[in-house]
Amino acid sequence: MRKKIVAGNWKMNGTYTDSLNLFNSLRSSENEFPQNVEVMVAPPYLYLHDLLKIGSSKIKVISQNCSSKSKGAFTGEISVSMLRSISIDCSIVGHSERRIIYGESISDISEKVKQLLSENMQVVFCVGEQLEERKSDNHFKVINEQLISIYSVDPSLFSKIIVAYEPVWAIGTGETASPEQAQEMHAFIRSKLREVYANAADQTRILYGGSVKPDNAAELFSQADVDGGLVGGAALQATDFIKIIQAAG
Ligand code: PGA
């Protein structure tokens, strides 16, 4: 039985005070979170340390990104060992906004996965096809290519990997993949993982992301291979995010 995960990706939103308020609102409801759901939030780097200091036994604070390099002259970058040094032990990588807007390649993302695993960190590894790729029926091929970044992970470390399937056309658009579309792709991803990690693939959590909202979460999360969600816009409102967490229980 895979434990579901609901992760909030705050992206580049909110002032310092907004972030503290949002975190505190979530904390004040944490006793209502279902026992069988892991909850994560990924605030901007700048706020990580203070949210960790406030702390929560139910909400894990994770990073939105990390550098593909270990240290040195890389202005503006944050390394995995820096994250580790403030007790962050999980990061998102390969988000489509990083791939598309910042031009991160499959090999950049593979390096980030390696960096994270070298520090024994958990990885929320995102994949997702663009609208034209789906329209031209290339979505399975595209996702399989993106999965290359985790195919070479040492099997002993594969339990650190969480996959997030986020169709680009559904991110921030209000258009969600149908539960059937999500299930179809999640089952495909799991079948591909099984070819490489026969023993681990059935334990791997595969999250859906892309316009998850309180009113569509329960149906998405009830699909056999959908193990929770990576939530953007709706994670910025405590009441909506809490409803989504409850929908996963
Ligand atoms: P959204 O974003 O929920 O606003 O569509 C999801 C994501 O990008 O992780």
Side-chain angles (χ1 to χ4, degrees), residues 21-173:
N21 288 343
L22 177 53
F23 191 68
N24 281 325
S25 300
L26 296 174
R27 280 174 74 232
S28 63
S29 298
E30 65 185 18
N31 291 334
E32 295 154 34
F33 295 174
Q35 292 296 330
N36 56 348
V37 180
E38 286 177 40
V39 177
M40 302 178 173
V41 295
Y45 281 139
L46 197 55
Y47 311 146
L48 286 173
H49 188 245
D50 282 7
L51 296 192
L52 278 176
K53 278 210 295 202
I54 295 170
S56 158
S57 56
K58 298 273 182 70
I59 309 165
K60 187 178 169 95
V61 178
I62 71 169
S63 177
Q64 294 178 15
N65 188 25
C66 64
S67 178
S68 59
K69 307 281 196 260
S70 60
K71 67 172 180 174
F74 302 105
T75 302
E77 290 287 280
I78 302 285
S79 72
V80 169
S81 57
M82 291 173 183
L83 294 170
R84 250 295 178 219
S85 73
I86 61 161
S87 303
I88 294 290
D89 67 5
C90 177
S91 180
I92 299 171
V93 287
H95 192 281
S96 61
E97 287 150 18
R98 302 296 321 171
R99 292 179 192 263
I100 298 166
I101 304 171
Y102 296 99
E104 288 186 6
S105 65
I106 287 175
S107 72
D108 294 331
I109 294 158
S110 304
E111 286 307 310
K112 292 183 182 204
V113 172
K114 275 190 209 146
Q115 290 288 336
L116 287 162
L117 293 175
S118 74
E119 292 275 351
N120 208 25
M121 303 258 284
Q122 244 182 338
V123 182
V124 179
F125 171 73
C126 304
V127 294
E129 83 284 359
Q130 302 196 48
L131 185 58
E132 313 78 73
E133 293 164 338
R134 180 164 278 264
K135 279 190 174 157
S136 58
D137 217 18
N138 279 317
H139 44 302
F140 294 113
K141 180 170 164 277
V142 167
I143 299 302
N144 194 30
E145 278 164 11
Q146 293 177 352
L147 287 169
I148 286 172
S149 296
I150 55 169
Y151 284 157
S152 54
V153 167
D154 186 305
S156 69
L157 298 174
F158 197 73
S159 61
K160 294 280 177 189
I161 306 285
I162 297 157
V163 178
Y165 168 58
E166 300 201 302
V168 177
W169 46 272
I171 295 179
T173 59

Side-chain angles (χ1 to χ4, degrees), residues 198-237:
N199 297 328
D202 284 314
Q203 271 74 58
T204 305
R205 269 81 61 86
I206 306 177
L207 315 184
Y208 169 79
S211 298
V212 175
K213 305 279 180 234
D215 60 0
N216 60 25
E219 202 183 351
L220 285 161
F221 298 165
S222 69
Q223 304 301 306
D225 288 288
V226 177
D227 304 311
L230 181 56
V231 186
L236 297 173
Q237 299 295 332

